[in-house]
C-alpha cells in the first residue's frame, strides 16, 4: 500500500506540489586533470518542496556552509553522491534555480518516493531568462 500517495493530496492543500526537472547523474568524464559531471537528459518530476527550519540545520556531507537549502519530497528515487555504488550527484531544477542532491534523508524505494536535502547551485539553468531575487534590508 502506498500510504504517501494517500496523504499527498492533503499535503498539497497546504503546500502544493510543483513540477521540476531531474538531471540524473551518469558519473563524470575526465577533461585533462578535471572531472566534469555528466547527466542524463532531463525528465519531468513531481516535487514537494519545503524550507529547512533554522533549528533543524542538517550538516550533511559537509554541506553545512552558508548556502540555501531545501528539503524535497519526490516521486521517484534521487541520490546524493555515493562513490561506492557509483551513483548520485543528481540535479533538480525548480523555481528558476538548480539544486544539487547532497543527502537522502528518507528512502522508501518500495513505495516509490524519497526525501532529500538539496543545496542551491550558483549556475543558472539553460534558457532561464529570469533574474535571481536578491533580498536586501530596506
Amino acid at each position: 500500500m502506498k500510504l504517501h500517495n494517500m496523504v499527498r493530496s492533503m499535503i498539497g492543500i497546504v503546500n502544493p506540489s510543483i513540477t521540476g526537472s531531474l538531471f540524473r547523474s551518469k558519473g563524470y568524464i575526465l577533461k585533462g586533470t578535471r572531472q566534469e559531471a555528466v547527466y542524463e537528459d532531463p525528465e519531468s518530476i513531481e516535487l514537494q518542496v519545503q524550507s529547512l527550519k533554522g533549528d533543524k540545520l542538517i550538516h550533511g556531507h559537509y554541506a553545512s556552509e552558508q548556502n540555501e537549502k531545501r528539503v524535497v519530497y519526490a516521486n521517484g528515487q534521487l541520490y546524493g553522491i555515493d562513490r561506492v555504488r557509483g551513483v548520485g550527484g543528481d540535479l533538480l531544477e525548480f523555481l528558476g534555480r538548480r539544486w544539487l542532491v547532497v543527502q537522502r534523508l528518507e528512502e522508501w524505494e518500495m513505495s516509490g518516493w524519497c526525501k532529500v536535502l538539496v543545496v542551491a547551485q550558483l549556475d543558472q539553468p539553460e534558457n532561464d531568462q529570469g533574474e535571481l531575487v536578491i533580498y536586501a534590508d530596506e
Side-chain angles (χ1 to χ4, degrees), residues 46-63:
E46 185 179 345
L47 306 169
Q48 211 268 329
V49 181
Q50 296 182 3
S51 295
L52 196 59
K53 292 184 192 178
D55 65 338
K56 300 290 184 194
L57 178 64
I58 297 172
H59 300 278
H61 298 291
Y62 304 102

Side-chain angles (χ1 to χ4, degrees), residues 32-68:
T33 59
R34 290 186 24 235
Q35 293 180 352
E36 184 174 304
V38 180
Y39 298 94
E40 293 179 4
D41 291 335
E43 61 184 84
S44 184
I45 187 169
E46 185 179 345
L47 306 169
Q48 211 268 329
V49 181
Q50 296 182 3
S51 295
L52 196 59
K53 292 184 192 178
D55 65 338
K56 300 290 184 194
L57 178 64
I58 297 172
H59 300 278
H61 298 291
Y62 304 102
S64 59
E65 295 85 16
Q66 182 73 21
N67 49 33
E68 192 171 354

Side-chain angles (χ1 to χ4, degrees), residues 4-132:
H4 186 68
N5 289 345
M6 294 170 63
V7 299
R8 192 159 184 106
S9 62
M10 297 305 290
I11 294 169
I13 292 171
V14 177
N15 188 8
S17 294
I18 62 172
T19 300
S21 296
L22 166 62
F23 296 82
R24 194 169 301 282
S25 174
K26 290 173 51 176
Y28 64 89
I29 58 173
L30 288 175
K31 287 211 169 179
T33 59
R34 290 186 24 235
Q35 293 180 352
E36 184 174 304
V38 180
Y39 298 94
E40 293 179 4
D41 291 335
E43 61 184 84
S44 184
I45 187 169
E46 185 179 345
L47 306 169
Q48 211 268 329
V49 181
Q50 296 182 3
S51 295
L52 196 59
K53 292 184 192 178
D55 65 338
K56 300 290 184 194
L57 178 64
I58 297 172
H59 300 278
H61 298 291
Y62 304 102
S64 59
E65 295 85 16
Q66 182 73 21
N67 49 33
E68 192 171 354
K69 301 175 192 73
R70 296 282 188 271
V71 169
V72 174
Y73 293 85
N75 286 336
Q77 297 303 313
L78 307 175
Y79 298 93
I81 294 173
D82 183 343
R83 286 180 172 76
V84 173
R85 291 177 30 195
V87 297
D90 295 340
L91 284 176
L92 293 172
E93 194 173 284
F94 59 89
L95 301 177
R97 298 200 61 189
R98 283 201 176 136
W99 303 80
L100 176 66
V101 176
V102 294
Q103 185 177 11
R104 284 172 45 130
L105 302 173
E106 295 179 32
E107 59 269 356
W108 298 91
E109 295 188 22
M110 299 305 289
S111 296
W113 67 276
C114 68
K115 175 182 177 182
V116 295
L117 173 67
V118 297
V119 176
Q121 301 300 287
L122 296 176
D123 57 338
Q124 189 170 359
E126 293 178 28
N127 303 319
D128 182 6
Q129 303 303 315
E131 295 288 325
L132 293 179

